[in-house]
Amino acid sequence: MSHWRNLMKDNKYLGSWDLEVDGKYEPRVVTIEKIYQDVMVGEMGKEDKVFVKLAEFPKSMVANRTNFKRLETFFGSFDFNDYIGKQIVLGVEKVKSPQGMTDALRFSTRPLPKKEKPTITPERFAKALQAIADGKTTADKLIADFSLTPEQHAEVTGK
């Protein structure tokens, strides 16, 4: 399923439809790459706007006061430079607009979800041990990247 807005050629900016997965909006962990000012040409003509470029999307997001207040709360700083390179959850909320209720992109002030580490197959574990022995990776990196069994953990750490 794909949102009808994806058919429109004027989709220069990130919208709620960009978070649509299988007919519903899915929040995404995003990385703030850049915050900048530019001119937006829209239904109201030319307007000066602030944009947030997120690493996970090719299009920039138009940012409003609500989203910046949430960034300030989440990161504990009003300095927008402190947000660059940081991660936050982006979701969709219903908001009142002159056109009625509409879907809007909103940053979340909730903590980032904890990532589930993948398990490692015995074959891949053997290759990882060899890579550690060859100096191509470290035991700490292996432990950080994978959910190891107690036996695998003991083999990596020697404990």
Side-chain angles (χ1 to χ4, degrees), residues 13 34-40 47-53 60-63 68 80:
Y13 309 109
K34 180 169 108 174
I35 298 173
Y36 63 98
Q37 291 179 301
D38 203 355
V39 175
M40 181 175 99
E47 295 181 79
D48 289 329
K49 294 284 185 182
V50 177
F51 297 88
V52 176
K53 174 66 180 89
S60 292
M61 171 184 159
V62 179
F68 273 105
F80 68 89

Side-chain angles (χ1 to χ4, degrees), residues 41-85:
V41 180
E43 295 172 7
M44 306 295 282
K46 290 183 180 183
E47 295 181 79
D48 289 329
K49 294 284 185 182
V50 177
F51 297 88
V52 176
K53 174 66 180 89
L54 303 169
E56 293 75 12
F57 295 98
K59 301 182 281 187
S60 292
M61 171 184 159
V62 179
N64 60 14
R65 282 180 173 78
T66 299
N67 277 318
F68 273 105
K69 287 177 185 174
R70 289 181 179 197
L71 290 171
E72 180 179 352
T73 298
F74 187 78
F75 294 118
S77 171
F78 58 78
D79 184 349
F80 68 89
N81 292 300
D82 290 343
Y83 315 150
I84 308 300

Side-chain angles (χ1 to χ4, degrees), residues 1 13 22 26 30 55 58-59 104 109-110 119 130 144 146 153 158:
M1 189 177 292
Y13 309 109
D22 295 329
E26 291 287 334
V30 294
K59 301 182 281 187
T109 56
R110 293 184 181 154
T119 57
Q130 187 60 50
F146 293 95
H153 194 276

Side-chain angles (χ1 to χ4, degrees), residues 116-121 125 142-150 152-153:
E116 291 285 328
K117 292 192 248 181
T119 57
I120 189 167
T121 63
F125 182 68
L142 180 64
I143 292 167
D145 290 348
F146 293 95
S147 177
L148 303 178
T149 65
Q152 290 171 329
H153 194 276

